[in-house]
Amino acid sequence: MSFTSFAFLFFLPVVFVVYWILQSHLRLQNLWVVIASYVFYSWWDVRFLLLIIITSCSSYGSALLISRNPSRRGLILWLNILLNLGILACFKYYNFFADSLRDIGETIGVDFSIPELSIILPVGISFYTFQSLGYVLDVYRGKAKPTTDIIAFLAFVSFFPQLVAGPIERATSLLPQMLSRRYFNRNDAVDGLRQTLWGVFKKMVIADSCAMAVNQVWDTWQDATGTMLLMGMLLFTFQIYCDFSGYSDIAIGVSKLFGIRLCDNFRCPYFSRNMTEFWRRWHISLMTWFRDYVYIPLGGSHGGKGRTIVNIFVVFLLSGLWHGANWTFVTWGFYHAFLLVLLLLFNRKKQRYDDPASFRQLPSVLLTLTLVAIGWVIFRSDSVNDGVAYLVRMFSLLPSVCIKDLVMGKVALILCSCLMIVEWLTRYRRYALDFSPTGIFRKPVCRWLLYYVLLLMIILMHGDEQMFVYFQF
């Protein structure tokens, strides 16, 4: 079930009403969350439920066993990791590695007869697997106490707003909320509806409009002009941002309706001044997961530059693989690791990333955005060769820029330009509709007029319905 489907439009109010009717019965309320989440998830394929139940129960049991068997805690941890990553590898990576081995065999003249599996990739498997693993690792490291309330734990893993595309929540943040009474707060609910509206607008109006032009460019990129290839690159850059950050806004906003706070996943990443800052603002929950459970355990930046460089490449190799079983994602990960290593070696300035960029830093912002956009071409392409050929053709044909070639995606370009202006003006806020107590929107009539304008644009201007990009991961 997608957030932008009619089914969800009916599903959400029913879940909301029953949820708050059960406010005084925490265990029943959590059970309702589990039931609703399983219905939400099984809407794609009911068979997927078995995997999330296995992942949830194994992690729940492993955490309890770790706390009760200190002498075997390491063994229990590794068995849980092998089980959950084994499920993930089987469904997501088996055919990828089988194909790669066969290709290597053909190169060296050896026949690797490895059968392929005809399996469907379960929606969101990478997200709930990492969330469950994080819980067990936190218990193992003493950062979280194992819960004995299995209903609350199942609700923690399966909470439907963030189940299939994050944010990847930590047990230390979300699980205590599932174990505590929640009370309806009107201000939080209104704030959640605003953030949900903004997320739906970004997804249905901007991302889906960009997708139509992007798909057309990528389908015919071998014959496209340099201008069209440039437009395809730029529009995909905004498509994937509005698609994924739009999902995160909806997830965070819907969660507020249920008295649940999720972590921020995006903080104006396209206004970053270098690649380090970009990865502190893009898909924050995933990158902090890799930082805490991979980068720091490997030694982080405390073993000298050589060790730091190796750790960076390991993290971004895993990040690329996390995104999908394709060499394009691996190459994309190495590309970003290479840019971060260059910054580490040649940038000696200590920078602060808490404050948003200023006008005088726009050249650095534009350079960073350009580098990010080039990486997205590899990410979007069917193969590494196609991605490289796309970029070579684009840069070789750019001198012959033709304005008329922009007609195909002009509406999407205008929408993206307006988005950048809005996000620049609101870059100090959590999201664009997070109104300040001063200014024109402090008046209810102005706020409601804006809401109706956004709703009208969603109804009239949305592009062809596209599945959320990150559902495939």
Side-chain angles (χ1 to χ4, degrees):
M1 190 185 303
S2 171
F3 284 156
T4 56
S5 66
F6 282 108
F8 188 75
L9 201 59
F10 291 97
F11 170 83
L12 181 60
V14 172
V15 176
F16 175 83
V17 171
V18 176
Y19 178 89
W20 287 115
I21 288 176
L22 299 173
Q23 176 176 321
S24 58
H25 305 281
L26 177 62
R27 196 166 177 81
L28 288 177
Q29 193 180 51
N30 284 335
L31 180 61
W32 177 244
V33 169
V34 175
I35 293 170
S37 298
Y38 284 176
V39 170
F40 175 84
Y41 191 68
S42 62
W43 206 263
W44 284 282
D45 193 324
V46 70
R47 293 172 296 178
F48 293 166
L49 274 181
L50 180 61
L51 294 178
I52 192 171
I53 291 171
I54 291 173
T55 297
S56 301
C57 292
S58 66
S59 299
Y60 171 80
S62 296
L64 289 176
L65 289 174
I66 286 172
S67 66
R68 295 171 183 176
N69 298 273
S71 61
R72 297 182 179 179
R73 55 201 300 270
L75 175 63
I76 297 168
L77 172 68
W78 278 108
L79 287 175
N80 179 260
I81 291 174
L82 289 173
L83 173 63
N84 287 311
L85 291 186
I87 293 173
L88 179 63
C90 179
F91 280 87
K92 192 168 183 176
Y93 303 110
Y94 176 85
N95 288 337
F96 168 65
F97 286 116
D99 291 340
S100 299
L101 279 175
R102 279 195 295 269
D103 291 341
I104 294 172
E106 290 177 5
T107 303
I108 63 177
V110 178
D111 182 18
F112 291 118
S113 299
I114 304 174
E116 287 195 355
L117 297 178
S118 298
I119 52 178
I120 304 171
L121 178 65
V123 176
I125 186 171
S126 297
F127 288 93
Y128 67 73
T129 298
F130 271 37
Q131 186 157 309
S132 300
L133 281 176
Y135 165 73
V136 178
L137 287 165
D138 281 345
V139 171
Y140 175 81
R141 294 156 68 177
K143 293 189 174 182
K145 293 183 178 180
T147 179
T148 57
D149 188 338
I150 190 170
I151 301 299
F153 183 77
L154 293 176
F156 155 72
V157 175
S158 66
F159 186 48
F160 73 90
Q162 49 89 222
L163 174 58
V164 294
I168 302 171
E169 284 293 328
R170 301 298 182 84
T172 52
S173 174
L174 182 55
L175 186 54
Q177 296 184 70
M178 293 299 179
L179 293 167
S180 305
R181 288 277 297 273
R182 280 92 66 184
Y183 299 93
F184 181 76
N185 184 295
R186 181 183 178 278
N187 292 332
D188 285 346
V190 170
D191 185 51
L193 288 172
R194 277 200 301 261
Q195 192 162 2
T196 300
L197 174 63
W198 181 240
V200 172
F201 175 80
K202 283 198 290 185
K203 163 59 180 170
M204 296 189 68
V205 176
I206 303 179
D208 288 356
S209 295
C210 288
M212 292 188 292
V214 168
N215 293 339
Q216 188 171 344
V217 170
W218 247 272
D219 288 342
T220 59
W221 67 267
Q222 295 93 336
D223 302 315
T225 65
T227 310
M228 293 178 66
L229 294 173
L230 176 63
M231 182 181 66
M233 180 182 76
L234 291 175
L235 290 183
F236 180 69
T237 298
F238 287 97
Q239 177 197 347
I240 194 167
Y241 169 61
C242 291
D243 188 284
F244 194 16
S245 69
Y247 181 96
S248 293
D249 280 332
I250 298 170
I252 294 169
V254 169
S255 297
K256 290 176 183 177
L257 297 177
F258 297 92
I260 299 293
R261 290 277 178 174
L262 300 183
C263 64
D264 290 335
N265 216 19
F266 293 86
R267 296 187 188 128
C268 297
Y270 286 168
F271 295 135
S272 301
R273 288 150 286 195
N274 57 46
M275 296 307 298
T276 299
E277 183 178 8
F278 173 78
W279 282 109
R280 293 187 182 187
R281 295 179 177 273
W282 177 276
H283 204 346
I284 300 168
S285 63
L286 176 67
M287 296 317 297
T288 54
W289 196 99
F290 276 122
R291 179 197 67 196
D292 293 343
Y293 301 119
V294 179
Y295 183 72
I296 292 176
L298 287 175
S301 57
H302 297 294
K305 283 192 176 180
R307 183 62 178 271
T308 301
I309 290 170
V310 170
N311 294 341
I312 288 172
F313 273 100
V314 169
V315 165
F316 279 89
L317 167 63
L318 295 176
S319 175
L321 281 173
W322 179 91
H323 280 84
N326 193 314
W327 287 110
T328 54
F329 300 121
V330 176
T331 304
W332 172 80
F334 271 107
Y335 169 77
H336 276 277
F338 177 73
L339 293 177
L340 287 168
V341 167
L342 286 181
L343 189 65
L344 173 69
L345 294 175
F346 298 106
N347 184 17
R348 300 182 180 279
K349 295 181 180 178
K350 290 186 178 181
Q351 296 183 337
R352 294 182 60 186
Y353 304 112
D354 297 334
D355 297 328
S358 60
F359 272 109
R360 64 183 180 84
Q361 295 170 317
L362 280 179
S364 297
V365 169
L366 291 175
L367 174 60
T368 303
L369 181 57
T370 301
L371 293 173
V372 169
I374 290 172
W376 287 133
V377 172
I378 304 294
F379 188 95
R380 174 62 173 77
S381 299
D382 293 329
S383 69
V384 176
N385 289 338
D386 284 353
V388 173
Y390 183 110
L391 291 169
V392 170
R393 180 175 176 81
M394 182 185 73
F395 284 115
S396 63
L397 295 178
L398 272 183
S400 57
V401 170
C402 184
I403 300 300
K404 69 178 182 180
D405 290 334
L406 297 177
V407 173
M408 182 181 65
K410 64 179 180 181
V411 174
L413 285 173
I414 292 170
L415 289 171
C416 293
S417 300
C418 292
L419 172 74
M420 290 295 280
I421 293 171
V422 170
E423 291 216 334
W424 177 264
L425 295 174
T426 60
R427 65 193 187 280
Y428 289 92
R429 303 177 190 171
R430 293 172 299 146
Y431 61 97
L433 299 187
D434 181 24
F435 298 124
S436 64
T438 60
I440 187 173
F441 290 111
R442 72 181 186 278
K443 300 178 180 179
V445 64
C446 295
R447 293 198 300 272
W448 279 100
L449 179 62
L450 177 60
Y451 301 153
Y452 282 120
V453 168
L454 292 177
L455 283 171
L456 187 63
M457 291 180 71
I458 291 170
I459 294 169
L460 298 179
M461 295 183 63
H462 69 86
D464 294 339
E465 185 177 356
Q466 305 281 331
M467 188 64 73
F468 284 94
V469 173
Y470 267 69
F471 276 9
Q472 64 184 300
F473 307 135

